[in-house]
Amino acid sequence: MTLLAIDGLTLSIGDQALVRDLSLSIAGGERLGLIGESGSGKSLTALAAIGLLPPDIRAEGSILLDGRQVIGAREEDLLPLRGAAVATVFQEPLTALDPLMKVGRQVAEPLARRYRREGKKLDRKALAREVRDLLERVSLPDIDRIVNAYPYEISGGQRQRIAIAMALACRPKLLIADEPTTALDVTTQAEILDLLSDLVRENGMALLFISHDLPVVARVAEKVAVLRRGEVVEQGPVTSVFGAPAHEYTRTLVSAAAAFDKALEPAQ
């Protein structure tokens, strides 16, 4: 089943087109990487997919999320899709998380909403156990401290794990990860990528992974779409697109990534 089907999407502000005639689709359990330079329209595409575009951006075309049309839909019609059909992990969790709310409570809120959606109830003790179970699943240490901490009191990698736990709490069919490792050091980045890959596979979720980093996308995705100046210039299996790129822009990206990797190799 196709969870996300974007067809002929054009996003404009005034007379300027920011995304042009973009089409892509993600089926259940599929992992798609959306790659491109800064300003190419990657994050705007993700916001359009969940119906959270800024009010001054005009959307044309079609976006079907779990069979429901997003473009032109009322906010009250989109709310049931967020969490059940799709959840999002944003680039910088320090701004995505509430700075005035303890971490444990922030994880508890989507859990409680999901149980209400399913017609179930959790008492306070059961909810606390569920929160701890989620934090253990995202490999957070010292959970007693973290559940009582504010976001600024924990590290960037720990904040990103909290954001992933909140997304998992919703049990979405599709997870959108918008450059979730950009602000992290290399070691933490690798841990988060492995965690995401494992959780997506274990939960049978589809994944839309947005990045400007080819090796990162190759690590987590099976298909890729290359976006340049708001247009998809190439898409297909990761091995084909990165192994034998057809478009000049993709060849440039692959060459730059290879040159960067070579520069990091230790001298012989």
Side-chain angles (χ1 to χ4, degrees):
M1 175 184 176
T2 300
L3 291 176
L4 178 65
I6 301 178
D7 186 24
L9 177 65
T10 296
L11 303 176
S12 308
I13 182 167
D15 296 329
Q16 181 183 6
L18 306 174
V19 171
R20 301 176 189 83
D21 195 28
L22 184 149
S23 296
L24 56 84
S25 65
I26 304 175
E30 196 170 57
R31 291 168 288 141
L32 172 69
L34 183 59
I35 193 164
E37 61 199 358
S38 297
S40 60
K42 305 185 300 297
S43 294
L44 278 179
T45 300
L47 290 174
I50 57 178
L52 287 178
L53 282 171
D56 56 343
I57 294 182
R58 184 176 71 258
E60 300 172 275
S62 173
I63 299 176
L64 290 176
L65 177 59
D66 201 21
R68 301 283 295 275
Q69 180 59 245
V70 173
I71 294 180
R74 300 176 302 171
E75 178 66 13
E76 53 264 39
D77 294 329
L78 294 175
L79 282 175
L81 292 174
R82 298 178 190 140
V86 63
T88 307
V89 177
F90 293 100
Q91 178 175 344
E92 178 43 76
L94 188 58
T95 55
L97 297 175
D98 188 333
L100 302 179
M101 187 184 295
K102 290 183 177 179
V103 163
R105 184 180 167 194
Q106 296 196 53
V107 177
E109 285 199 350
L111 266 172
R113 285 199 299 270
R114 191 194 89 216
Y115 273 92
R116 286 196 298 269
R117 183 182 77 219
E118 296 173 350
K120 303 174 184 176
K121 290 185 179 180
L122 282 180
D123 60 31
R124 184 172 296 181
K125 287 185 178 179
L127 184 58
R129 286 196 300 269
E130 291 276 348
V131 169
R132 294 183 67 88
D133 286 347
L134 266 176
L135 299 187
E136 288 175 359
R137 289 190 67 195
V138 297
S139 303
L140 276 165
D142 196 6
I143 291 176
D144 288 334
R145 177 184 67 85
I146 287 178
V147 294
N148 291 298
Y150 291 95
Y152 69 87
E153 295 178 316
I154 59 178
S155 70
Q158 290 172 338
R159 287 193 292 267
Q160 197 59 282
R161 290 173 190 269
I162 293 296
I164 293 170
M166 291 173 67
L168 290 176
C170 303
R171 288 190 182 167
K173 298 177 183 178
L174 169 66
L175 179 66
I176 297 177
D178 187 0
E179 305 225 31
T181 61
T182 298
L184 305 177
D185 62 77
V186 174
T187 301
T188 306
Q189 181 183 89
E191 292 173 352
I192 294 296
L193 290 175
D194 289 343
L195 174 66
L196 272 175
S197 296
D198 291 344
L199 292 171
V200 166
R201 183 177 60 254
E202 291 168 6
N203 290 276
M205 293 186 295
L207 174 67
L208 174 59
F209 191 93
I210 297 169
S211 180
H212 62 275
D213 192 321
L214 271 70
V216 166
V217 169
R219 186 166 182 158
V220 298
E222 56 192 358
K223 291 171 56 180
V224 63
V226 182
L227 195 59
R228 185 192 186 204
R229 297 178 183 174
E231 296 184 32
V232 172
V233 297
E234 187 169 358
Q235 60 180 308
V238 166
T239 51
S240 299
V241 174
F242 290 169
H247 193 276
E248 180 181 356
Y249 177 66
T250 313
R251 290 195 292 270
T252 301
L253 292 178
V254 171
S255 296
F260 182 73
D261 286 344
K262 186 174 182 180
L264 293 179
E265 292 178 359
Q268 299 296 323

